[in-house]
Amino acid sequence: MPALWGRMQGVRPNKPFYRLLDRGFSLSEALVEMQKKYGVSPAKLDLLRQIAELEYPILASLPRQAVSIYVGIPFCPSRCLYCSFPSHSLHELGQERQRFVAALLREIEVLGQQVQRLGFTVDSVYVGGGTPTALQASDLSKILQILKQVLPLPWREFTVEAGRPETLTDEHLSVLVAAGVQRISINPQTKHLETLQLIGRPHSAADIELAVARSRKHFHTLNMDLILGLPGEDLAEVRASTKWVIGLRPENITQHMFSPKRASRFTDEQTAWQAMLPSGELAASMVETTRELLRQAGYHPYYLYRQRNILGGQENVGWTLPGHACRYNMIMISERQHILGLGGGAASKFINADGTLVTHSNPKDVRVYIDRIEALIAKKAVLLAERSE
Ligand SMILES: C[S@@+](CC[C@H](N)C(=O)[O-])C[C@H]1O[C@@H](n2cnc3c(N)ncnc32)[C@H](O)[C@@H]1O
Ligand code: SF4
């Protein structure tokens, strides 16, 4: 297989590309440069161009002296096979939920006041994880309400993930609606029950359809995640899942390519399953098929990122119907605005005047996060103050 991204090592191919646009290169000139410098393949140059047309004007006009907020909820009903995200299953550490919520409320309150005091505006707010809806609805409500009380309004965007459909009760839905959440994610990954059982997700396609139907009228934007190249799936399964998700008409579809992760159960326990993964050629056909279906259905690619061991050297791409691109996703990948990360395992990124970054991560283990909460708050209050104008 030719190297689709040429000599590019990083997980954010758009960053060097947008630096060229910042320097005044036209789109065509910047693409020629990407081909010369890194040997990026024609197909990926075309993807870069399509994404830049939608994403770059938004990134080029991000407000100054603004932050986006990420809130990490590090609990899930159970661990998926491939997951390396900072999250604990409720069976393992569910008893820590109360202490976690108390620590998080404190972190939001103190750092929210710091955001206000320093005169930052808030761009987008994203509550992810983990599975935010794995918290009790009353606790999730407290978190969303305190965010609204302490962080300066208006925000440009307010998203909460409800990735696992079995966690989205009527009570959770009411809490999201009452807090004014505009966007939610309900993530099928695949429509095939056999694969869902294999990867440790105890839901079915019907559960997803029901969750979508119940949420539909309440939110401006619904996102659904798909993974191509899951163990045991062939092109026919990928095509069927893509068509099915498109049929549900979410405003956003995020298409991931499977990546074996060092910290997941996949590499710990299931090495034998390597044989169930697609070849590079098959992965490429999956990508092509999915993207053709998405294009025909009116979706546009608007952001992308790669992973270290991603199958076939491909990439993950966010697709949107017109007018629904997720600001937070673009901001997080482009690293062009401060991100203040609050909660379990949450990463913060502070941008220096010369465009370089200072990063800070909250501990992945929720017990360590709780124990160190005051020191974490103090450290980030300083990092934020150093960047106020
Ligand atoms: C932050 S994660 C988790 C979101 C949510 N907790 C869920 O699982 O529904 C966002 C997305 O990344 C994708 N993802 C996670 N692990 C992956 C892996 N090892 N390879 C490819 N995609 C992965 C999944 O599509 C997932 O929905
Ligand atoms: S629901 Fe999402 S965050 Fe939780 S274990 Fe599964 S992939 Fe990881």
Side-chain angles (χ1 to χ4, degrees):
M1 281 286 291
L4 299 169
W5 287 99
R7 295 175 289 284
M8 292 203 84
Q9 298 294 331
V11 298
R12 296 177 164 81
N14 288 47
K15 279 190 80 170
F17 185 47
Y18 292 166
R19 276 199 293 270
L20 293 167
L21 299 180
D22 291 342
R23 283 167 52 198
F25 283 60
S26 68
L27 262 183
S28 320
E29 290 164 348
L31 289 168
V32 171
E33 207 50 31
M34 293 295 284
Q35 201 283 322
K36 276 202 299 207
K37 190 161 178 201
Y38 300 106
V40 176
S41 67
K44 299 306 173 193
L45 288 174
D46 191 45
L47 180 63
L48 277 179
R49 181 186 54 74
Q50 290 177 45
I51 291 179
E53 281 169 357
L54 212 158
E55 182 183 37
Y56 184 73
I58 297 174
L59 294 177
S61 58
L62 286 177
R64 282 175 61 81
Q65 193 64 1
V67 284
S68 283
I69 308 290
Y70 177 78
V71 180
I73 308 295
F75 295 102
C76 291
S78 59
R79 280 297 267 177
C80 305
L81 172 77
Y82 48 65
C83 181
S84 62
F85 292 97
S87 185
H88 306 279
S89 83
L90 289 179
H91 309 291
E92 182 205 356
L93 280 179
Q95 74 277 11
E96 295 291 350
R97 275 188 293 181
Q98 286 309 315
R99 289 201 315 137
F100 166 75
V101 170
L104 177 59
L105 292 176
R106 165 124 183 103
E107 193 183 20
I108 295 172
E109 185 168 13
V110 179
L111 288 172
Q113 284 163 357
Q114 177 75 334
V115 166
Q116 256 184 47
R117 198 175 309 119
L118 296 172
F120 285 98
T121 59
V122 172
D123 192 314
S124 55
V125 177
Y126 191 102
V127 183
T131 308
T133 41
L135 293 180
Q136 286 175 351
S138 54
D139 285 336
L140 184 60
S141 175
K142 284 184 202 154
I143 293 165
L144 302 184
Q145 293 306 331
I146 198 164
L147 284 167
K148 294 189 72 180
Q149 276 162 28
V150 296
L151 291 171
L153 294 163
W155 309 336
R156 301 287 298 265
E157 193 178 271
F158 188 12
T159 307
V160 177
E161 286 182 359
R164 299 267 290 259
E166 69 274 24
T167 60
L168 188 61
T169 65
D170 284 345
E171 232 184 323
H172 285 94
L173 256 183
S174 310
V175 161
L176 299 176
V177 173
V181 172
Q182 300 155 332
R183 317 171 59 100
I184 66 165
S185 289
I186 298 171
N187 298 327
Q189 318 301 357
T190 170
K191 74 170 286 202
H192 301 285
L193 192 59
E194 205 178 314
T195 317
L196 286 165
Q197 288 171 348
L198 194 71
I199 63 180
R201 289 181 76 100
H203 57 79
S204 64
D207 295 332
I208 292 280
E209 287 169 11
L210 191 62
V212 168
R214 286 166 58 232
S215 324
R216 208 66 204 88
K217 63 177 181 295
H218 299 297
F219 305 99
H220 171 256
T221 303
L222 182 60
N223 174 73
M224 298 177 77
D225 286 354
L226 273 179
I227 304 180
L228 317 188
L230 284 167
E233 292 210 344
D234 210 331
L235 189 56
E237 279 86 25
V238 166
R239 187 185 285 117
S241 291
T242 308
K243 282 187 171 171
W244 167 70
V245 169
I246 288 174
L248 296 173
R249 220 54 198 158
E251 288 75 14
N252 288 179
I253 297 176
T254 314
Q255 169 262 302
H256 299 82
M257 175 54 76
F258 188 70
S259 293
K261 299 273 181 71
R262 260 180 304 158
S264 70
R265 274 170 51 204
F266 183 82
T267 40
D268 280 357
E269 301 166 20
Q270 315 282 351
T271 319
W273 292 16
Q274 292 289 350
M276 298 171 75
L277 298 179
S279 65
E281 278 80 8
L282 180 53
S285 309
M286 290 174 171
V287 164
E288 251 168 60
T289 302
T290 302
R291 294 189 184 166
E292 203 36 49
L293 289 168
L294 285 163
R295 278 198 192 95
Q296 283 168 8
Y299 290 85
H300 301 275
Y302 76 97
Y303 85 107
L304 84 96
Y305 66 101
R306 306 187 65 223
Q307 302 272 289
R308 200 199 308 251
N309 294 322
I310 196 161
L311 286 184
Q314 297 282 350
E315 64 285 316
N316 302 324
V317 177
W319 293 76
T320 186
L321 291 176
H324 290 272
C326 174
R327 287 178 76 83
Y328 179 78
N329 285 338
M330 295 186 281
I331 288 168
M332 189 251 306
I333 298 299
S334 66
E335 302 181 324
R336 283 174 175 241
Q337 184 181 76
H338 306 302
I339 293 187
L340 179 60
L342 310 168
S348 299
K349 291 179 184 180
F350 301 98
I351 320 288
N352 296 322
D354 64 358
T356 56
L357 293 182
V358 173
T359 57
H360 175 281
S361 287
N362 279 354
K364 290 188 171 175
D365 185 320
V366 71
R367 293 160 295 192
V368 182
Y369 166 75
I370 295 165
D371 289 346
R372 294 209 198 131
I373 190 66
E374 294 305 328
L376 294 167
I377 292 172
K379 175 79 184 163
K380 279 184 285 192
V382 171
L383 287 168
L384 203 56
E386 286 170 354
R387 275 144 198 96
S388 74
E389 288 173 354

